[in-house]
Amino acid sequence: MSKLKRNIAEIKCLRKIFEAKGSIKNDFKKCVYCGLCQKVCSVDAIAVSKDQKTWSIEDDICVRCTHCVFKCPIKALTLQK
Ligand code: SF4
Ligand code: SF4
């Protein structure tokens, strides 16, 4: 197996491990769009606009580390299966 194919296989394997943990969900009734979750995300998976009151996450990038969950001051974020 070439190095490239091995790298792709490893990435696919990691993706399955991450996805098995679930996905980050936001309770929009609680979220105040402060942006703290965006600041702590080391892979830039979260985008927040306080002015436009928007919050989004890129599931394909998120590694399910849950730093954002613990950082959110009002517990709006959860890791759910
Ligand atoms: S840290 Fe919590 S309240 Fe702030 S933008 Fe993120 S989810 Fe919303
Ligand atoms: S779980 Fe980790 S990687 Fe995913 S959005 Fe939150 S901080 Fe970023």
Side-chain angles (χ1 to χ4, degrees), residues 3-80:
K3 190 173 180 185
L4 176 61
K5 281 186 177 176
R6 189 173 296 125
N7 286 345
I8 291 170
E10 285 174 1
I11 290 168
K12 284 181 178 175
C13 182
L14 281 172
R15 172 66 35 214
K16 283 186 180 171
I17 292 169
F18 294 152
E19 287 173 355
K21 292 183 176 182
S23 299
I24 300 294
K25 303 294 181 193
N26 192 343
D27 183 346
F28 291 105
K29 293 189 296 292
K30 291 181 179 176
C31 180
V32 294
Y33 306 98
C34 65
L36 285 176
C37 53
Q38 180 181 354
K39 283 184 186 158
V40 298
C41 181
S42 57
V43 295
D44 291 331
I46 295 176
V48 183
S49 169
K50 193 174 178 91
D51 293 339
Q52 298 177 5
K53 294 196 180 336
T54 57
W55 183 97
S56 62
I57 186 166
E58 288 190 59
D59 260 344
D60 289 349
I61 297 174
C62 173
V63 295
R64 279 69 167 175
C65 67
T66 68
H67 287 164
C68 55
V69 173
F70 290 104
K71 191 67 180 179
C72 178
I74 52 163
K75 310 291 182 214
L77 300 178
T78 50
L79 179 60
Q80 294 178 23

